[in-house]
Amino acid sequence: MSAYRRRRAKRRRGLVLALALIAVAAGTYTLREPLLNLIPSTQTATPTTNSPADPAAAAELAISPTLHLAISAQSDLAFQTGRTARLLAKTKTGWTEQAKLTLPNLPGDQVKITPENGSYIIEARQALGLRRAEVQVEGGKLRLLDYYSNHAPTPAVKNGSYLFVNKYLNQLWYFQDGKLAATYPVATGRQTSGPAPTMQDYMTNFFTPEGQYKIANKRVDPAYYGSAEHPAAVGGAPDNPLGPRWMGFGVLQGDAGNIWAIHGTNDPAKIGTWVSDGCIRMRPEDVTALFDRINVETTLQVVSGRT
């Protein structure tokens, strides 16, 4: 074979090889997307917003794409109003109830669920107050936690009794020797912002004083001397708005704990709200229990709770 023919055959083989490589590359590109779809992804799935599992719920939160926490609707404003928390799981046939529990004392018609450190805070709000509950999801079950104990303030007094009232949450914490002993829901002043009352206007200023005070006196079955809204009532009477116990705390110089107090009520449905004339109201059974546990000179701290 002449040198010319050998060079021509070599160029032909090179062209064929080049065309083959191009074809292989094209095939690889075409198959790339289908092949990638067969490779398991290492990325974490991003939760998507699904349609409600319970359209009638007052609030609902997607814990995962297949697990929702739903809180029942309720329009009753009485303190004793309870709600139901339901854990709903998505199946092939729809949403099914996996677990449920009762959440006590959650009145109000505005409800929200907020994740917090591995649990879920449920808040029910109305015009005159709000209440909260806390639940945890564990292995497909719901567990009720004590929200107010879990969110207790740090006591400023480590020896003896110490009381702390958060007016925003309408909650009282009782500490003994620096340790939480009990929590109680309360009602506080209908006037939710200052100015603070003075000796000249305390009869018309319905603001619960804020600051640190001392329990100045304690009374069993206090008498009520009447107001423009309520007639006088003898101590222990069913219509006495002071309830069975009075623990007065001194605020203004010379008042000696005779103006403001932690006391009971004959209307426990309003506990948890901003509704009092400035005193701190408790349920009858709660104020009786606290009365028996603290002494005169116990420190009381009252804060707005909004900061």
Side-chain angles (χ1 to χ4, degrees), residues 5 7 16 23 30 43 60 72 91 138 149 175 225 235 279:
R5 288 182 177 180
R7 287 194 300 271
V16 170
T30 304
Q43 296 180 347
E60 185 174 321
S72 65
T91 65
E138 293 181 333
S149 292
F175 297 88
Y225 298 105
C279 285

Side-chain angles (χ1 to χ4, degrees), residues 181-265:
T183 66
Y184 300 104
V186 299
T188 53
R190 71 183 84 170
Q191 183 178 324
T192 56
S193 61
T198 66
M199 193 61 81
Q200 289 71 41
D201 73 353
Y202 75 86
M203 293 290 290
T204 56
N205 187 330
F206 303 129
F207 180 83
T208 300
E210 298 170 4
Q212 184 169 294
Y213 311 106
K214 294 285 187 179
I215 298 297
N217 59 65
K218 297 172 63 181
R219 301 174 193 163
V220 175
D221 292 333
Y224 182 69
Y225 298 105
S227 68
E229 298 178 351
H230 197 286
V234 299
D239 62 340
N240 188 323
L242 300 180
R245 300 290 186 271
W246 170 283
M247 292 170 276
F249 53 94
V251 176
L252 303 174
Q253 186 173 4
D255 74 42
N258 295 317
I259 299 177
W260 292 277
I262 300 170
H263 64 73
T265 180

Side-chain angles (χ1 to χ4, degrees), residues 39-59:
I39 300 173
S41 175
T42 58
Q43 296 180 347
T44 302
T46 301
T48 58
T49 303
N50 299 323
S51 59
D54 183 1

Side-chain angles (χ1 to χ4, degrees), residues 136-147:
Q136 197 170 55
V137 179
E138 293 181 333
K141 296 181 179 180
L142 291 174
R143 186 163 73 96
L144 180 63
L145 306 180
D146 187 337
Y147 170 82

Side-chain angles (χ1 to χ4, degrees), residues 281-294:
R281 299 181 186 176
M282 298 180 70
R283 293 180 294 186
E285 63 273 22
D286 291 344
V287 76
T288 300
L290 182 62
F291 185 94
D292 293 339
R293 300 179 74 175
I294 69 166

Side-chain angles (χ1 to χ4, degrees), residues 153-157 161-167 171-175 188 208-215 249 262 280 298-305:
T154 301
V157 174
S161 301
Y162 174 70
L163 306 177
F164 187 98
V165 172
N166 181 316
K167 298 198 301 181
Q171 191 74 13
L172 182 152
W173 288 265
Y174 161 49
F175 297 88
T188 53
T208 300
E210 298 170 4
Q212 184 169 294
Y213 311 106
K214 294 285 187 179
I215 298 297
F249 53 94
I262 300 170
I280 299 166
T298 292
T299 300
L300 166 66
Q301 184 81 35
V302 183
V303 302
S304 70

Side-chain angles (χ1 to χ4, degrees), residues 60-64 69 112-123 133-137 147 151:
E60 185 174 321
L61 179 70
I63 297 175
S64 73
L69 177 63
K112 68 177 182 179
I113 308 171
T114 305
E116 182 180 290
N117 298 327
S119 62
Y120 299 90
I121 309 302
I122 295 94
E123 178 180 287
E134 186 173 5
V135 299
Q136 197 170 55
V137 179
Y147 170 82
H151 293 77

Side-chain angles (χ1 to χ4, degrees), residues 11 23 36 70 75 77 97 100 160 174 180 199 215 232 243 248 252 262-263 274 301:
R11 284 197 301 270
L36 287 179
S75 59
L77 299 183
E97 183 180 287
K100 71 176 180 179
Y174 161 49
L180 183 64
M199 193 61 81
I215 298 297
L252 303 174
I262 300 170
H263 64 73
W274 305 299
Q301 184 81 35

